[in-house]
Amino acid sequence: MRGTRSRQPEITPELLLRAYSIGLFPMADSADDPELFWVEPELRGIIPLDDFHISKSLAKTVRRMPFEIGFDSCFEAVMDGCAAPAPDRPTTWINGKIRALYTTLHAMGHAHSVEAFDGDELVGGLYGVSLGSAFFGESMFSRRTDASKICLVYLVERLRKRGFRLLDTQFTTEHLKSFGAIDVPKARYEVMLAAAIASPHLKF
């Protein structure tokens, strides 16, 4: 795990929002670990909304509209999908406390999901937290080719239309870098975050 972390005995939804506003987010070591710890990366992953890009093949797939896309239509089911084991992710950091906290944030209007449906079946999605004009991506999953990628495309489009200024990915991966994700030093990220948090809270 990159970045510093510290144990936290009790985290409330209000404290969680405060933590996001200063650059912290919680994780668990595993789904079975009841404890959470704060993470504060020295290098923070973001996707600059003006520099987001997709491959020609993915753009073609998006235009074909293989899935029906929803927003906030089944938040808890998306969390379930993100927590489920997958071939490239046999374990998860989403434990019971994480589920309870983010479900409450969703009810408060601060946690949101994007969903991909094939008929009535949820085949992909992502979720994250919105605060001010910042969106903090938490996790995504896919049960069909490109389902989570297409959800990300729709997320960015929605954030742009609503006037969001910051899309936080916590860390970068080669997958996210293919969309334009970059690492920014902690000091630079803090300036970007402060500007986004100072904005009025935007409707997702």
Side-chain angles (χ1 to χ4, degrees):
M1 179 70 64
R2 293 170 288 175
T4 59
R5 75 187 207 181
S6 58
R7 293 283 173 180
Q8 173 65 38
E10 185 61 35
I11 301 177
T12 64
E14 293 76 17
L15 179 60
L16 181 53
L17 289 176
R18 172 60 181 159
Y20 273 104
S21 75
I22 59 173
L24 304 175
F25 57 87
M27 294 188 75
D29 280 323
S30 70
D32 298 325
D33 187 346
E35 299 294 328
L36 301 180
F37 55 85
W38 293 119
V39 181
E40 186 178 21
E42 290 299 321
L43 285 177
R44 193 70 168 233
I46 68 166
I47 295 179
L49 291 170
D50 291 338
D51 292 330
F52 179 77
H53 52 261
I54 62 177
S55 67
K56 291 182 179 179
S57 60
L58 181 57
K60 183 177 180 180
T61 300
V62 171
R63 288 193 297 271
R64 197 171 74 246
M65 300 178 66
F67 310 115
E68 181 179 346
I69 302 300
F71 297 93
D72 285 342
S73 64
C74 54
F75 181 84
E76 292 184 53
V78 170
M79 284 204 75
D80 290 342
C82 291
D88 61 340
R89 185 181 57 198
T91 60
T92 178
W93 50 268
I94 301 174
N95 66 4
K97 285 186 178 180
I98 291 285
R99 288 172 183 265
L101 281 167
Y102 287 83
T103 299
T104 301
L105 286 189
H106 176 61
M108 294 168 62
H110 282 288
H112 305 281
S113 60
V114 184
E115 308 95 17
F117 295 93
D118 184 356
D120 293 330
E121 183 182 359
L122 179 67
V123 296
L126 60 83
Y127 77 95
V129 172
S130 66
L131 189 62
S133 61
F135 188 90
F136 307 88
E138 282 295 320
S139 188
M140 61 175 61
F141 79 99
S142 186
R143 296 177 183 145
R144 296 283 192 282
T145 301
D146 292 334
S148 62
K149 294 179 182 179
I150 291 174
C151 286
L152 179 59
V153 171
Y154 276 84
L155 171 67
V156 170
E157 179 183 19
R158 193 174 184 90
L159 297 180
R160 285 172 169 170
K161 287 182 177 179
R162 299 293 169 90
F164 281 78
R165 301 174 61 177
L166 176 64
L167 174 52
D168 180 309
T169 66
Q170 299 177 348
F171 302 108
T172 59
T173 62
E174 291 306 311
H175 172 66
L176 290 174
K177 286 179 179 178
S178 69
F179 293 96
I182 60 173
D183 288 308
V184 296
K186 180 180 174 181
R188 180 184 169 198
Y189 174 78
E190 289 174 347
V191 172
M192 300 170 69
L193 176 63
I197 296 300
S199 302
H201 182 63
L202 298 179
K203 181 180 179 181
F204 179 78

